Amino acid sequence: MQRSLMHRVRSLVASWLRTVADALAWCFSPVPGSVKNWLTVLFLGVVLLDIGLAYIYVVPSLQTRLLHQKLDDLAGDSHLVASVVSSQNPDQYDLSNAAALIDTQINARIVIVDRNDLQAIADSRPGLPLNVRNFPVVATAGRTGRVTISEATINGTHYATAAVPVVSQLGGFPLIVLVSTPLTDLQRAVQNVQHQILLAGCLALIATLFAGYLASYFIARRLKRIERGALSIASGDLSRPVLPGPPDEIGQLAVTFNMMGGRLREAFSQIEREKENVEVLLYDLAEGVIGVTAEGGLAVANPAAATLLGRALPAGTPLTDVLPPDVAQALAETQTDGEDRTVVVEYGARSLEASVYQVGREAEVHVIVVLRDITEQARLDAARRDFIATASHELKTPLFSLSGFMELIDEGDLDVETEKEFLTLMRQQVDRLTDLSLSLLDLSQVDSGAVRLEPNDIDVTAVTRAVVAEFRAGAESRGVEIEVNAPAELPAACDERRLSQVMRALLDNAVKFSPSGGTVAVGLGGVNGGAADDVVITVADQGPGIPADELHRVFERFFRGNGGSQKSGTGLGLSIARDMVELMGGTLTVRSSSGEGATFTVRMPRIQG
């Protein structure tokens, strides 16, 4: 019985502990119900634990004391039974009467057993089933010859048992007297105590639940105010202070929280100002700026950097994957020795200048890479170098020719015809120098805005035919024919001298690049889609054409194309021609492809008739 009771106690305590553990786990889980809930459950857990400890302390000890008392009483009764039985006649009838008499006095079943074969001789309750061998104390007493007392479970019922070996004084017959009494009353008493403890525990739980909920409610309400303040700060509202309440620990926490909110407001204001400054300095720059971490990863990049590199630049991108090799090498060297570096690289169609700087203070960004698009500057520098070389050549040739002719004439050994021929050649070289100087003068006037236009009502057809007549002799000497398709009269409002200058540039370019036997076609009117209010002039040649990758650079200053060095000229004629047309309110465009010649189209405003 004691082992069964302990098992029940352990099961009940284990159940209580699991309940407490589940409640505490719920309270301290990542998403608890609320502070008042876990405080309430904590109080309940403590009360449950106290009830469990009280149960463990009271019930087993009570059970043990009652059982020992029962066994002690049974031991005293067994000696009385043994003295009575030993004085009886060994006749079975006398023994049965004695057993029944004793049963009524001590309220215990008396069974008299033959010690030799362990068979019941007399039973105070013969109507009840009995198997003597189910009582271990009988065998023990028969083997040892001493009184044996113990508890036993027979067919699910707990008994207190005692076995006493006796010898009949009348017949000397060896007997064992088995005294047994059920422990039902003892179990009932223990269960009553259990019920009382559980009832008291339930009442204590209800009282604790009520008191704990009230206490935790007021605590949680104050903490909830701090929580709402934290949520306001998290959402960006730093203007809502928390009501402190009583000056206890929670009140002090609220005061400290309000101080923190004030400092955060000041810090965020400063951060916003600095952020605005950084955005103005960084994101509005035309230069690309890339911040690099100590590990070589990308920390920050402005939109200009993504545009120059032609790809998105999210934070953490390895720069070795996006930077040109020379820039990546300069970055690695700067990270190693801390020296600033500047490199110029060709990246696709762009020329980029990359400057790498070491940051002088501790920060997430250790190195800054600044990218500048110097494509136009590089092209201009190349064109200027080419122009200087071309201009030097253009100046050197006529100057050397003039110098040689002058030396020969100065010697005086020439005849009249030869001297006239030299003078003619000298005049041609002077004209060549004059054209070059005039081109440079026109270029400087366009740049400075000093070009003076004298718009008049002119006949474009007449101007065009006059310019064509200037080039016809030179074209025929090269085997090139010039065809003109123009109406009898075509009025327009423009500067006649400047329009003639434009036509000369277009015809000079067309004749220069046309092969021997080719034709230069000059057309006037509304061709090529000209509007009714436009005068359209086209000059088409049958030259080698302009490659697609050079077509957009035809009107650049100093540009003469990849094959330009094989032709004379400075590369300024077409550029000046476009500037003049635009100053007169028109447009100059080109259409060409390799091997199919080029067609230049001028559109000018027409005089309304």
Side-chain angles (χ1 to χ4, degrees):
M1 177 181 176
Q2 189 173 8
R3 288 192 298 270
S4 175
L5 182 59
M6 292 301 297
H7 176 73
R8 292 176 58 191
V9 170
R10 284 195 297 268
S11 299
L12 183 59
V13 172
S15 176
W16 279 340
L17 291 177
R18 283 195 298 271
T19 302
V20 174
D22 292 341
L24 293 178
W26 178 82
C27 291
F28 294 102
S29 61
V31 188
S34 66
V35 172
K36 65 177 181 295
N37 288 342
W38 73 256
L39 283 176
T40 302
V41 174
L42 181 62
F43 294 153
L44 292 178
V46 172
V47 173
L48 284 173
L49 184 61
D50 291 341
I51 294 173
L53 293 176
Y55 189 94
I56 293 173
Y57 178 76
V58 173
V59 174
S61 61
L62 176 62
Q63 172 68 24
T64 301
R65 288 197 302 271
L66 292 177
L67 179 60
H68 288 169
Q69 182 66 39
K70 191 71 172 179
L71 292 176
D72 291 341
D73 294 342
L74 187 61
D77 292 339
S78 63
H79 290 291
L80 175 62
V81 171
S83 62
V84 173
V85 171
S86 64
S87 62
Q88 298 296 317
N89 191 313
D91 181 78
Q92 184 176 4
Y93 176 77
D94 292 337
L95 292 175
S96 297
N97 289 335
L101 180 61
I102 298 171
D103 188 342
T104 59
Q105 295 178 354
I106 66 174
N107 192 24
R109 188 175 186 177
I110 308 300
V111 181
I112 301 174
V113 182
D114 187 343
R115 186 173 181 178
N116 293 324
D117 56 7
L118 298 182
Q119 294 296 324
I121 298 175
D123 189 350
S124 64
R125 300 175 186 179
L128 298 178
L130 176 68
N131 186 353
V132 176
R133 298 183 184 277
N134 289 336
F135 293 87
V137 293
V138 175
T140 303
R143 185 175 60 256
T144 62
R146 294 193 298 270
V147 177
T148 304
I149 301 173
S150 179
E151 62 172 317
T153 301
I154 310 298
N155 296 327
T157 303
H158 297 285
Y159 292 91
T161 61
V164 183
V166 298
V167 177
S168 176
Q169 297 178 2
L170 300 177
F173 190 78
L175 301 174
I176 296 177
V177 180
L178 172 63
V179 183
S180 65
T181 181
L183 299 176
T184 306
D185 293 341
L186 186 148
Q187 291 178 338
R188 189 177 297 110
V190 173
Q191 288 176 355
N192 288 334
V193 173
Q194 291 178 358
H195 293 161
Q196 293 297 324
I197 293 176
L198 292 177
L199 179 60
C202 290
L203 295 176
L205 284 175
I206 293 173
T208 302
L209 177 63
F210 179 74
Y213 185 83
L214 287 179
S216 60
Y217 171 78
F218 289 108
I219 294 175
R221 188 174 65 174
R222 298 177 64 191
L223 293 176
K224 197 69 177 179
R225 290 199 295 264
I226 299 177
E227 179 187 1
R228 288 193 294 268
L231 291 176
S232 298
I233 291 177
S235 62
D237 183 7
L238 304 178
S239 60
R240 296 179 59 183
V242 176
L243 182 64
D248 54 7
E249 289 81 356
I250 298 179
Q252 185 60 39
L253 175 62
V255 171
T256 305
F257 188 87
N258 290 334
M259 292 175 59
M260 179 193 69
R263 293 181 180 178
L264 284 176
R265 285 193 296 272
E266 296 176 1
F268 285 165
S269 298
Q270 183 177 358
I271 290 174
E272 285 297 324
R273 291 193 296 269
E274 293 180 356
K275 180 181 177 181
E276 292 175 358
N277 293 335
V278 169
E279 287 180 350
V280 170
L281 294 176
L282 184 62
Y283 289 90
D284 292 344
L285 286 176
E287 291 82 2
V289 180
I290 299 175
V292 186
T293 64
E295 294 76 18
L298 188 148
V300 64
N302 66 347
T307 301
L308 292 176
L309 295 177
R311 58 166 295 173
L313 297 175
T317 302
L319 290 178
T320 54
D321 298 340
V322 298
L323 291 179
D326 291 347
V327 180
Q329 178 65 26
L331 172 61
E333 293 175 356
T334 298
Q335 287 180 312
T336 301
D337 56 25
E339 296 293 331
D340 298 342
R341 287 174 171 80
T342 299
V343 295
V344 177
V345 297
E346 297 297 326
Y347 190 76
R350 287 189 172 98
S351 295
L352 299 180
E353 180 187 74
S355 300
V356 185
Y357 306 98
Q358 185 83 25
V359 176
R361 60 181 181 177
E362 292 296 329
E364 180 185 4
V365 175
H366 281 232
V367 179
I368 294 177
V369 179
V370 179
L371 301 175
R372 299 181 183 86
D373 187 354
I374 59 171
T375 304
E376 295 302 322
Q377 178 182 346
R379 288 179 180 176
L380 183 60
D381 290 342
R384 285 175 177 172
R385 289 193 297 270
D386 189 27
F387 167 73
I388 292 174
T390 302
S392 299
H393 176 74
E394 293 293 328
L395 289 171
K396 179 181 65 176
T397 299
L399 288 175
F400 282 175
S401 298
L402 289 173
S403 177
F405 290 146
M406 291 176 65
E407 288 180 2
L408 291 175
I409 293 175
D410 188 55
E411 290 177 357
D413 296 336
L414 300 177
D415 54 32
V416 176
E417 293 297 329
T418 302
E419 186 174 342
K420 288 182 178 181
E421 180 181 357
F422 282 2
L423 290 174
T424 301
L425 293 174
M426 291 173 67
R427 188 175 295 109
Q428 292 176 353
Q429 297 302 326
V430 171
D431 292 341
R432 187 174 177 181
L433 289 174
T434 301
D435 291 340
L436 178 60
S437 61
L438 289 176
S439 295
L440 293 175
L441 178 61
D442 288 338
L443 182 62
S444 64
Q445 289 178 341
V446 169
D447 288 340
S448 63
V451 176
R452 301 289 183 181
L453 296 179
E454 297 178 1
N456 291 304
D457 299 339
I458 64 171
D459 183 2
V460 177
T461 300
V463 173
T464 301
R465 291 187 181 279
V467 175
V468 169
E470 297 176 11
F471 282 85
R472 193 176 298 278
E476 290 178 352
S477 66
R478 299 170 62 92
V480 177
E481 181 180 357
I482 301 177
E483 296 181 352
V484 179
N485 181 13
E489 184 178 353
L490 188 60
C494 61
D495 188 316
E496 180 177 356
R497 184 171 68 88
R498 295 302 182 184
L499 179 60
S500 299
Q501 182 181 358
V502 171
M503 293 301 300
R504 290 189 185 95
L506 296 180
L507 284 171
D508 179 68
N509 184 76
V511 172
K512 184 189 305 180
F513 287 97
S514 292
S516 178
T519 300
V520 173
V522 179
L524 279 73
V527 296
N528 295 330
D533 294 336
D534 288 341
V535 171
V536 179
I537 306 172
T538 60
V539 178
D541 61 58
Q542 296 177 342
I546 305 171
D549 59 342
E550 295 183 1
L551 193 61
H552 66 286
R553 301 186 59 193
V554 167
F555 297 108
E556 288 184 6
R557 296 176 181 178
F558 318 117
F559 179 74
R560 298 190 301 160
N562 292 332
S565 60
Q566 300 174 1
K567 304 290 183 179
S568 61
T570 60
L572 294 175
L574 292 177
S575 176
I576 295 174
R578 184 185 64 174
D579 292 337
M580 294 302 175
V581 171
E582 291 178 350
L583 288 173
M584 290 186 291
T587 60
L588 173 58
T589 58
V590 62
R591 184 180 72 256
S592 178
S593 59
S594 295
E596 297 182 2
T599 300
F600 290 84
T601 302
V602 178
R603 284 182 172 83
M604 299 291 296
R606 177 185 292 183
I607 293 296
Q608 298 294 330

